[in-house]
Amino acid sequence: MAEISDLGEFGLIDRITAGFPLKNESSILGVGDDAAIMNFGEKDVLVTTDLLLEGIHFDLRYVPLKHLGYKSAVVNFSDIYAMGGTPRQITVSLGVSSRFTVEHIDALYEGIRTACEFYGVDLVGGDTSASVTGLVISITCIGDCVKGEEIRRDGAKPTDLICVSGDLGAAFMGLQLLERENRVSADAGKDFTPDFSGKEYILERQLKPEARKDIIEALRAEGIRPTSMMDVSDGLSSELLHICRNSHTGCRVYEDRIPIDYQTALMAEELNMNLITAAMNGGEDYELLFTVPLTEHDRIENIKGVKMIGYITEPQLGCAMITRDGQEFPLKAQGWNAFTGKV
Amino acid sequence: MAEISDLGEFGLIDRITAGFPLKNESSILGVGDDAAIMNFGEKDVLVTTDLLLEGIHFDLRYVPLKHLGYKSAVVNFSDIYAMGGTPRQITVSLGVSSRFTVEHIDALYEGIRTACEFYGVDLVGGDTSASVTGLVISITCIGDCVKGEEIRRDGAKPTDLICVSGDLGAAFMGLQLLERENRVSADAGKDFTPDFSGKEYILERQLKPEARKDIIEALRAEGIRPTSMMDVSDGLSSELLHICRNSHTGCRVYEDRIPIDYQTALMAEELNMNLITAAMNGGEDYELLFTVPLTEHDRIENIKGVKMIGYITEPQLGCAMITRDGQEFPLKAQGWNAFTGKV
């Protein structure tokens, strides 16, 4: 095990950046000067940033560092795709307390590197420092988009169809499972081996989420331009309310249209939790939520992995879910709130 | 005093961003969507990022939050100027533990806002979250520069003059003073009032540094294009070694040419510290260190606040300081190292 202080800040930076050659045409100068240099020509530039703190956003007792690195990068890529853009560069700042070794940092960057390679993104900068307590990860992602072609949150119109990719609630159920096994393991001591068989999907959704690059490409291929779009990080209810508030509309979503994987349903039953609440508010799905004009109905049906779950209404109708038995319940944002630590 | 959790993440973001209207032509969409949108046309885009952690980079026992906000923004602007660019946008991510109130966050952003107004920079994004321990500030700054006109670290040539703006070591001495008064205050209890009279300059250099926008403008006005440039954040010795390593050169600097304010000198004497060591290695000066061709000697003399301190040599001569009595000592990077917490 190597001590980080033996390498020093610049030694550590050299070690990290060796595995990150620049590949994007827009990346002109990466790590090693006062700032990175890029050029996007006439394209628009997109910037998003995420701060992840140990004990708030992740728990290293059950999250491997490599997975954490991968996820930290991917959640930022997801925000760029959710604008209709393409992620191109990231900067990674780390605060590292003394219990971390060089091998730990290598594992974290291994995950970041895997994500960057898969999504074609360049590491161009960052900042590395000691931390008094725990691990701090701050990632900023820069992307580009054809000028003026971004898909914002404020363009939804009454009668637009509400669409969502993939399925919801699985990452949340994966987290519940990890937390339960962690508690059981703490009680049982050394001899405990958690049994995750038949639950691989919800674990992967929690530990190794993907950004829906494929959906953006499919929409482009079909010539569909969503009227609004965002990624589902805080939970579907919360994100739908954002779109409706910004677009000055209401909405109706159908309970029986919410896409849910069977592993998510089984886990909710096992834990005696309300499945729809978990799917609507669990968060960390990193699926795309978007609206399209009603006339796109048939073309949306051609896209694998996208489901129409409801429609946009006039604002005075409010935002509601229609249950299986036809009742209407107002949507509430019960999503992840990092200030109370509760979902 | 208002609790942050009462406002919630989005309430807090709304409160913060109300005071930050967008002013730059390149800022198209600010806070409130998955990503900010910018357009820089044919210009190059510069990105730099800094992570500041309580207990490592700042001590709230003697740093007012407003000053901390100002400094956190300015140190990023300094990196963009040090490339020959102009800072245009920042994103600010905060991790805030429960001991902070809304008024604390307001004070921090008041400082950030003052810096943004003075330097003409737009706040376009960020992330706000709870923290288990202490305050975490992560700022990313985006700037622009005429395509290909950036001033990097690798262009210094033998016989180039080495120049530095302002004076050095003052911020370091300001920190020593604050730490001493803080220790005395802790011993003396409530009745203690620190006496900072005659030491205002070194305190201001520590608490409210400025980025040298004026020097960049003066160089442009004189038509001088430095061959290399960086800002002095880790200490002059460390930065000079960076330039020489990246440019494959050596250098000579003259001890008696190092610019030092008299308050810095008085404080060093009072604390029985070596003045030249403090000026060469103290760091946090945020002055500009740059090299120019020898032919620019007379035009550099026209620029107020810039001093020629030495020259670039062939690499085999190494990097050294020439003392007042003509001896040569190799330059060593003894600058701030956040992994050991020592200067």
Side-chain angles (χ1 to χ4, degrees), chain A residues 56-236:
Chain A
I56 301 284
H57 301 97
F58 57 88
D59 186 330
L60 291 176
R61 284 173 303 178
Y62 50 79
V63 178
L65 281 161
K66 188 177 163 181
H67 285 79
L68 180 62
Y70 191 87
K71 184 170 173 175
S72 304
V74 163
V75 301
N76 278 283
F77 303 163
S78 181
D79 278 319
I80 299 291
Y81 288 121
M83 297 295 288
T86 306
R88 299 293 186 188
Q89 290 90 14
I90 53 168
T91 64
V92 177
S93 292
L94 289 187
V96 184
S97 64
S98 57
R99 79 186 144 94
F100 294 91
T101 64
V102 172
E103 288 75 12
H104 288 129
I105 304 304
D106 283 348
L108 187 76
Y109 272 97
E110 175 65 20
I112 295 171
R113 198 165 58 78
T114 305
C116 282
E117 280 177 1
F118 187 74
Y119 290 94
V121 173
D122 294 330
L123 177 81
V124 297
D127 190 15
T128 309
S129 120
S131 144
V132 178
T133 46
L135 184 61
V136 175
I137 307 172
S138 177
I139 295 190
T140 297
C141 184
I142 300 124
D144 60 21
C145 183
V146 177
K147 193 175 174 176
E149 296 281 298
E150 294 83 8
I151 306 162
R152 305 185 185 195
R153 298 179 178 178
D154 60 358
K157 299 268 179 301
T159 79
D160 278 0
L161 294 166
I162 300 170
C163 306
V164 69
S165 65
D167 58 79
L168 303 173
F172 176 74
M173 280 303 159
L175 181 63
Q176 303 309 309
L177 173 62
L178 284 165
E179 287 186 342
R180 185 188 68 175
E181 297 300 299
N182 187 56
R183 281 192 302 271
V184 176
S185 156
D187 294 344
K190 271 190 192 168
D191 297 332
F192 177 80
T193 308
D195 180 11
F196 292 139
S197 68
K199 301 185 166 86
E200 294 81 1
Y201 179 69
I202 60 172
L203 281 181
E204 183 162 325
R205 292 285 284 171
Q206 169 57 227
L207 293 175
K208 192 169 173 289
E210 299 293 350
R212 298 309 304 261
K213 181 186 185 180
D214 57 332
I215 299 293
I216 296 294
E217 288 168 350
L219 288 168
R220 269 190 214 136
E222 285 285 333
I224 300 170
R225 190 176 149 70
T227 51
S228 71
M229 183 155 62
M230 60 189 297
D231 71 333
V232 183
S233 53
D234 291 337
L236 183 68

Side-chain angles (χ1 to χ4, degrees), chain A residues 16-34:
Chain A
I16 290 163
T17 53
F20 286 89
L22 300 184
K23 281 172 284 184
N24 277 303
E25 207 188 325
S26 54
S27 305
I28 296 169
L29 179 71
V31 175
D33 214 305
D34 297 289

Side-chain angles (χ1 to χ4, degrees), chain A residues 4-5 8-10 12 14 28-29 32-57 78-80 82-83 91-96 124-133 136 138 140 142 147 150-154 229-231 234 238 242 245-246 336-340, chain B residues 4-5 8-10 12 14 28-29 32-57 78-80 82-83 91-96 124-133 136 138 140 142 147 150-154 229-231 234 238 242 245-246 336-340:
Chain A
I4 293 168
S5 53
E9 184 180 348
F10 300 110
L12 186 63
D14 288 347
I28 296 169
L29 179 71
D33 214 305
D34 297 289
I37 306 176
M38 287 147 285
N39 194 294
F40 297 93
E42 282 304 309
K43 284 189 172 178
D44 280 344
V45 179
L46 305 172
V47 173
T48 183
T49 190
D50 255 304
L51 178 65
L52 299 172
L53 303 172
E54 187 176 351
I56 301 284
H57 301 97
S78 181
D79 278 319
I80 299 291
M83 297 295 288
T91 64
V92 177
S93 292
L94 289 187
V96 184
V124 297
D127 190 15
T128 309
S129 120
S131 144
V132 178
T133 46
V136 175
S138 177
T140 297
I142 300 124
K147 193 175 174 176
E150 294 83 8
I151 306 162
R152 305 185 185 195
R153 298 179 178 178
D154 60 358
M229 183 155 62
M230 60 189 297
D231 71 333
D234 291 337
S238 170
H242 274 304
R245 189 178 72 155
N246 289 18
W336 168 259
N337 182 337
F339 276 107
T340 60
Chain B
I4 293 167
S5 53
E9 183 180 349
F10 300 110
L12 186 63
D14 288 348
I28 296 168
L29 179 71
D33 215 306
D34 298 289
I37 307 175
M38 287 146 284
N39 193 293
F40 297 92
E42 282 305 308
K43 285 189 171 178
D44 280 343
V45 179
L46 305 172
V47 173
T48 183
T49 190
D50 255 304
L51 179 64
L52 300 172
L53 302 172
E54 186 176 352
I56 300 285
H57 302 97
S78 180
D79 277 321
I80 299 291
M83 297 294 288
T91 64
V92 177
S93 292
L94 290 186
V96 184
V124 297
D127 191 14
T128 310
S129 121
S131 145
V132 178
T133 47
V136 175
S138 177
T140 297
I142 300 124
K147 193 174 174 176
E150 293 83 8
I151 305 161
R152 306 185 186 195
R153 298 179 179 178
D154 59 0
M229 182 156 61
M230 60 189 296
D231 71 333
D234 291 337
S238 170
H242 275 302
R245 189 178 72 154
N246 289 18
W336 169 260
N337 183 338
F339 277 107
T340 60

Side-chain angles (χ1 to χ4, degrees), chain B residues 36-268:
Chain B
I37 307 175
M38 287 146 284
N39 193 293
F40 297 92
E42 282 305 308
K43 285 189 171 178
D44 280 343
V45 179
L46 305 172
V47 173
T48 183
T49 190
D50 255 304
L51 179 64
L52 300 172
L53 302 172
E54 186 176 352
I56 300 285
H57 302 97
F58 56 88
D59 187 331
L60 291 176
R61 285 173 303 177
Y62 50 80
V63 178
L65 281 161
K66 187 177 163 178
H67 285 78
L68 180 62
Y70 191 88
K71 183 170 173 175
S72 304
V74 163
V75 300
N76 278 283
F77 304 162
S78 180
D79 277 321
I80 299 291
Y81 288 121
M83 297 294 288
T86 306
R88 299 292 186 188
Q89 289 90 14
I90 52 168
T91 64
V92 177
S93 292
L94 290 186
V96 184
S97 64
S98 57
R99 71 178 211 273
F100 293 93
T101 64
V102 173
E103 287 75 12
H104 288 129
I105 304 305
D106 283 348
L108 187 75
Y109 272 97
E110 175 65 20
I112 294 172
R113 198 165 57 79
T114 305
C116 282
E117 281 177 0
F118 187 73
Y119 289 94
V121 174
D122 294 329
L123 177 80
V124 297
D127 191 14
T128 310
S129 121
S131 145
V132 178
T133 47
L135 184 61
V136 175
I137 306 173
S138 177
I139 295 190
T140 297
C141 184
I142 300 124
D144 59 22
C145 183
V146 176
K147 193 174 174 176
E149 296 281 297
E150 293 83 8
I151 305 161
R152 306 185 186 195
R153 298 179 179 178
D154 59 0
K157 300 267 179 299
T159 77
D160 279 359
L161 295 166
I162 300 170
C163 307
V164 70
S165 64
D167 59 78
L168 302 172
F172 176 74
M173 279 303 162
L175 181 64
Q176 304 308 310
L177 173 62
L178 283 166
E179 287 185 344
R180 185 188 67 174
E181 297 300 298
N182 186 55
R183 281 192 302 272
V184 175
S185 157
D187 294 343
K190 271 189 193 170
D191 297 331
F192 177 79
T193 308
D195 180 12
F196 291 139
S197 66
K199 301 185 167 86
E200 294 82 0
Y201 179 70
I202 61 173
L203 280 181
E204 183 162 327
R205 292 284 285 171
Q206 170 57 226
L207 294 175
K208 192 170 173 288
E210 300 293 351
R212 299 308 304 260
K213 181 187 185 179
D214 57 333
I215 298 293
I216 296 294
E217 288 167 352
L219 288 168
R220 269 191 215 135
E222 285 285 335
I224 300 170
R225 190 176 149 69
T227 52
S228 70
M229 182 156 61
M230 60 189 296
D231 71 333
V232 183
S233 52
D234 291 337
L236 182 68
S237 287
S238 170
E239 317 301 18
L240 261 175
L241 289 169
H242 275 302
I243 284 183
C244 289
R245 189 178 72 154
N246 289 18
S247 301
H248 308 289
T249 66
C251 71
R252 289 295 175 276
V253 290
Y254 295 96
E255 180 184 358
D256 62 1
R257 305 282 306 165
I258 305 300
I260 296 172
D261 186 82
Y262 75 99
Q263 283 193 12
T264 308
L266 284 178
M267 195 70 224

Side-chain angles (χ1 to χ4, degrees), chain B residues 270-285:
Chain B
E270 195 176 323
L271 295 174
N272 202 22
M273 295 178 84
N274 185 299
L275 178 60
I276 290 296
T277 303
M280 293 296 288
N281 301 293
E284 293 198 276
D285 299 301

Side-chain angles (χ1 to χ4, degrees), chain B residues 162 237 240-241 244 250-255 280 309-311 313 317-323 327-332:
Chain B
I162 300 170
S237 287
L240 261 175
L241 289 169
C244 289
C251 71
R252 289 295 175 276
V253 290
Y254 295 96
E255 180 184 358
M280 293 296 288
I309 60 171
Y311 57 93
T313 69
L317 294 177
C319 298
M321 166 178 279
I322 299 169
T323 60
Q327 288 191 285
E328 280 196 8
F329 286 100
L331 284 185
K332 274 186 233 160

